[in-house]
Amino acid sequence: MKSIFAFYRGNTPALMGSIIVFTFILLSALAPWIAPYDAEKRVARGHQPPSAEHILGTTRSGKDVLSQVLYAGRISLTVGFASGLIATVIAVLLGVTSAYVGGRVDAFLMFLTNVFLVLPGLPLIVVLAAFLGEVGPLSIALILGLFGWPGGARVMRAQALSIREKEFVTAAEVIGESKWRIVVVEILPNMVSLIVGTFTGAALGAVMGQAALEFIGLGDPNVISWGTMLFWAQNNSALIVGAWWDAIVPGVAIAVFAMGLALLNMGMDQISNPQLKGSKNLKQWKKLNDELQANRKKKQESRKIAGEVVEG
Amino acid sequence: MSSESKPIFSVKKLVKDFPTAGGPNSIRALNDVSFELFSGEAMAVVGESGSGKSTIARVLSLLHDKSAGDLNFKETEISGFSGEEIKRYRQQVQMIFQDPYGSLNPVHTIYHHLARPLLIHKKVKSKKELPDKIHALLEEVGLTPAVETAKKFPFELSGGQRQRVCIAKTLAIGADVVLADEPTSALDVSIRLGVLNLMQKMKREHNVAFMYITHDLATARYFAERTAVMYVGHMVEWGETEDIIQDPQHPYTQLLISAVPSPLKRHQKEEKSLHVKNKDIPTWTASSVGCPFVGRCIHAMDKCSQSMPEITKISEKHFVRCFLHDGSGQ
């Protein structure tokens, strides 16, 4: 409890990010109870502007946008977190194994990581998705997860390499701990902040990736997600006919949720690099600098006066 | 004396080479090192940084493989050990590290650090016995109140307290041999004595054999019955600690002892009694020959740079490797 408080103290990005992300999770989870209408049914005339009855207006096919955006959150968030989880698990497994075992295993795993790292991400995913036909949320989560790990794996390896050299790892070896226990119990807990950071980063990428795939029409158009909402809005020329709410609402949802994850990620960086947290010290430094400047000015002035006196 | 009994650990002609990146010559960290450890007795290994002191401990605790030589623990060669044998060996030979801030995992409690060795080596019959056993261990090393200390994390303890936890770990395992790699170097002078006394107690009450690696001659004299002086991977002089300190024979040992600040010789000049020729420490490789000290030694002769002198017996338990003493010199 104390440590949670300490984590958020002076860490505004983490606090704001957490609030945004948890609000989205809560709203999506409660969608069946708080959504005013059935998201899949026609409940009004098409393209009704926002009103008291339909707070965020209706789509061209007469569906309630608010209800849709809440239900869509369930799919988009699930895909984001699921593929973030897949990517993080692979990154941790490969990165830490590579660092701890070393030698040929390390060389091979890093070769594999580098190959995946240079594969152009989105184009490859587009090709894969096109090859598989209209892909459902599950396939999208798998594709994004299986291609989203290489950057994380490299960071994990670097961190694990530095922890591996610590004496407590040697001490664990000397008392006879097994290798997997050293990795899981001694090394991994020291990497928690990095793992959480990698997870938020991967989930962020997945949410954006899913929206991109669905927007260009590679997803299953019958599933309600933020991406397909954008897809239908584009298909029905929502902006051209002046139904801005149809396109803007899912767009803002994606942007705000992505910002929440990015802020959370920034907050995690502050833990592993406390230098980023230096706002308070920075103020002190500025104050000190101002004093120094003022002193210097005073000295110059007095010297000037002294010079005038001498000349005079 | 225990020296008449059989040694618990016997090292003969140990050599350890580290390969260098790109170079044909590997670095020879240990060359022709031989010594014996006895139960209930401490041997100090002294020498400056880079003299191979820690490498000995790491080879003996199977963290590095030896390059050549014999390592006999209870009359069994240890380098061929595998699996279950290694586990049984670890139960008997333990290590204490120099940096108490790095040798305890910051994310685990003291309880965890002591529970693991007890569980790995099955020193408790069931998990129910763990708390009592751990509290008893903490009390034995003077970390009271034990119940509170067990709940703490390493960052809540001072350096000396952490080192006591490390000692409690070796006690938990019930090791016969403890390789202490500069256990007091990172500690405040004021708490060194407490840790040394604790190890002294282990030595006497639990009949543990210690290898005490240090660069502090004063603590070596306090704690260790015997001392070996290392220089660039070579043992240049060894014997009873009192003999080494009162009557140093090798020029390097004399230099080392003259560097100890003495309250009787105030304002002493550095290395006043021995004019050292130069202060560079050579890098020893597999193909280097001669005495490693030749570049700094004021008594250096031609043959010193051609071959390493053989072992000369000064007295019953005092040996040196130097041409000045083998009868052929002068």
Side-chain angles (χ1 to χ4, degrees):
Chain A
M1 206 54 220
K2 222 185 212 171
S3 58
I4 292 174
F5 185 72
F7 167 60
Y8 284 120
R9 199 171 164 185
N11 197 341
T12 328
L15 185 66
M16 283 174 59
S18 304
I19 290 173
I20 293 172
V21 169
F22 279 106
T23 311
F24 268 86
I25 292 174
L26 210 66
L27 288 177
S28 313
L30 295 177
W33 292 279
I34 55 172
Y37 301 94
D38 188 333
E40 298 193 35
K41 286 210 175 105
R42 187 183 175 94
V43 289
R45 283 171 46 219
H47 277 166
Q48 292 292 304
S51 65
E53 265 165 77
H54 300 284
I55 300 166
L56 296 174
T58 61
T59 66
R60 187 186 141 122
S61 48
K63 291 168 187 164
D64 184 55
V65 173
L66 175 65
S67 306
Q68 280 216 319
V69 91
L70 289 174
Y71 272 99
R74 292 168 82 94
I75 299 290
S76 289
L77 260 59
T78 312
V79 168
F81 287 135
S83 87
L85 194 70
I86 295 171
T88 310
V89 168
I90 298 176
V92 169
L93 277 179
L94 290 196
V96 175
T97 313
S98 186
Y100 188 71
V101 179
R104 277 191 198 161
V105 177
D106 183 28
F108 173 72
L109 290 180
M110 276 305 110
F111 171 73
L112 197 73
T113 308
N114 288 341
V115 167
F116 269 83
L117 203 60
V118 294
L119 287 177
L122 198 63
L124 181 82
I125 290 166
V126 167
V127 169
L128 247 173
F131 176 72
L132 292 171
E134 283 173 358
V135 285
L138 180 72
S139 319
I140 292 183
L142 280 176
I143 294 174
L144 291 171
L146 292 177
F147 285 94
W149 57 268
R154 290 215 67 116
V155 178
M156 294 292 161
R157 175 176 173 269
Q159 174 89 348
L161 272 180
S162 89
I163 294 176
R164 206 220 125 107
E165 293 304 311
K166 295 264 166 72
E167 264 182 353
F168 62 79
V169 175
T170 319
E173 276 170 19
V174 172
I175 67 165
E177 286 277 22
S178 62
K179 278 196 167 160
W180 74 267
R181 244 203 103 97
I182 291 181
V183 170
V184 176
V185 182
E186 305 292 330
I187 296 181
L188 275 187
N190 283 290
M191 299 173 64
V192 167
S193 71
L194 189 69
I195 292 171
V196 176
T198 307
F199 172 73
T200 55
L204 168 65
V207 168
M208 308 282 277
Q210 187 202 8
L213 278 181
E214 288 173 340
F215 177 69
I216 57 175
L218 292 166
D220 179 355
N222 295 319
V223 171
I224 303 174
S225 74
W226 293 335
T228 51
M229 284 180 76
L230 283 172
F231 168 72
W232 283 118
Q234 166 74 10
N235 247 12
N236 298 327
S237 325
L239 285 176
I240 298 172
V241 300
W244 49 265
W245 55 89
D246 198 2
I248 296 251
V249 170
V252 168
I254 293 172
V256 174
F257 180 67
M259 184 178 79
L261 282 178
L263 284 171
L264 205 57
N265 203 351
M266 258 170 79
M268 286 295 159
D269 284 350
Q270 277 197 7
I271 297 181
S272 45
N273 185 1
Q275 264 189 332
L276 296 171
K277 214 173 182 172
S279 60
K280 205 171 160 194
N281 295 337
L282 215 64
K283 263 180 208 157
Q284 277 180 344
W285 174 247
K286 267 186 189 146
K287 206 172 144 195
L288 206 72
N289 198 31
D290 288 346
E291 274 173 29
L292 209 75
Q293 294 294 347
N295 272 345
R296 203 171 283 165
K297 223 174 184 179
K298 241 188 233 165
K299 243 183 211 167
Q300 268 174 359
E301 270 165 18
S302 62
R303 219 174 271 158
K304 227 187 216 166
I305 294 167
E308 280 165 11
V309 169
V310 170
E311 273 171 27
Chain B
M1 275 302 285
S2 50
S3 51
E4 270 93 52
S5 63
K6 276 187 181 162
I8 188 162
F9 216 125
S10 153
V11 175
K12 281 200 189 76
K13 297 199 177 298
L14 174 66
V15 176
K16 173 67 195 165
D17 290 339
F18 286 108
T20 48
N25 271 339
S26 47
I27 300 287
R28 182 151 286 187
L30 294 176
N31 192 11
D32 198 3
V33 171
S34 308
F35 62 87
E36 288 168 333
L37 297 174
F38 297 94
S39 290
E41 211 182 271
M43 186 186 84
V45 179
V46 298
E48 56 199 275
S49 310
S51 60
K53 309 184 297 269
S54 298
T55 309
I56 299 184
R58 287 177 164 263
V59 171
L60 259 53
S61 53
L62 299 176
L63 293 171
H64 293 323
D65 292 328
K66 66 174 185 185
S67 300
D70 299 327
L71 298 169
N72 287 311
F73 175 67
K74 293 188 176 167
E75 296 173 345
T76 318
E77 171 65 39
I78 66 165
S79 51
F81 281 179
S82 62
E84 205 47 38
E85 286 171 316
I86 290 185
K87 199 171 165 188
R88 218 175 308 132
Y89 176 73
R90 297 218 182 287
Q91 201 172 331
Q92 301 172 76
V93 179
Q94 274 299 307
M95 204 166 160
I96 297 175
F97 293 88
Q98 173 175 6
D99 178 12
Y101 295 88
S103 54
L104 297 175
N105 194 336
V107 301
H108 292 309
T109 58
I110 304 306
Y111 185 90
H112 170 95
H113 281 101
L114 293 176
R116 286 311 300 161
L118 289 171
L119 289 171
I120 292 169
H121 298 291
K122 302 192 176 63
K123 295 286 174 186
V124 283
K125 287 190 196 82
S126 71
K127 284 202 171 183
K128 280 181 199 155
E129 289 176 31
L130 265 179
D132 286 342
K133 181 96 191 182
I134 287 168
H135 297 151
L137 280 167
L138 285 171
E139 259 162 40
E140 183 164 4
V141 298
L143 289 171
T144 49
V147 182
E148 266 88 272
T149 312
K151 288 182 200 146
K152 285 185 177 168
F153 283 92
F155 74 87
E156 296 174 273
L157 301 182
S158 71
Q161 286 172 322
R162 288 176 207 213
Q163 209 57 297
R164 283 170 190 267
V165 172
C166 294
I167 291 172
K169 265 168 84 177
T170 65
L171 273 175
I173 294 174
D176 299 329
V177 176
V178 173
L179 311 167
D181 188 358
E182 307 205 31
T184 59
S185 304
L187 303 181
D188 248 25
V189 181
S190 52
I191 47 179
R192 271 183 198 170
L193 191 64
V195 172
L196 279 175
N197 283 341
L198 187 61
M199 297 201 310
Q200 194 86 271
K201 201 175 106 186
M202 269 176 89
K203 196 172 75 181
R204 296 216 177 108
E205 290 175 13
H206 299 274
N207 209 27
V208 174
F210 270 92
M211 186 166 104
Y212 178 65
I213 295 167
T214 185
H215 50 241
D216 184 359
L217 282 166
T219 58
R221 193 174 183 182
Y222 179 79
F223 178 64
E225 285 81 5
R226 289 178 303 130
T227 293
V229 180
M230 298 275 303
Y231 186 73
V232 196
H234 297 72
M235 279 172 71
V236 292
E237 187 169 359
W238 60 98
E240 306 256 302
T241 306
E242 278 308 307
D243 290 344
I244 301 278
I245 287 174
Q246 301 290 354
D247 185 24
Q249 297 296 322
H250 196 280
Y252 177 65
T253 316
Q254 292 164 4
L255 179 68
L256 207 60
I257 287 165
S258 75
V260 176
S262 153
L264 299 175
K265 298 182 275 175
R266 283 209 188 163
H267 313 300
Q268 66 186 359
K269 291 214 178 77
E270 243 183 290
E271 296 171 359
K272 185 183 160 194
S273 53
L274 292 138
H275 303 282
V276 176
K277 288 206 293 204
N278 71 52
K279 290 187 178 179
D280 290 340
I281 296 167
T283 307
W284 210 252
T285 64
S287 55
S288 304
V289 287
C291 172
F293 194 58
V294 67
R296 293 170 82 181
C297 185
I298 46 165
H299 307 291
M301 297 170 275
D302 287 344
K303 57 183 172 183
C304 290
S305 49
Q306 285 151 14
S307 65
M308 180 70 191
E310 288 307 310
I311 300 167
T312 310
K313 197 173 184 178
I314 300 294
S315 67
E316 191 53 39
K317 288 168 195 153
H318 190 175
F319 302 88
V320 69
R321 291 189 80 163
C322 182
F323 283 122
L324 288 177
H325 303 284
D326 75 343
S328 67
Q330 263 92 39

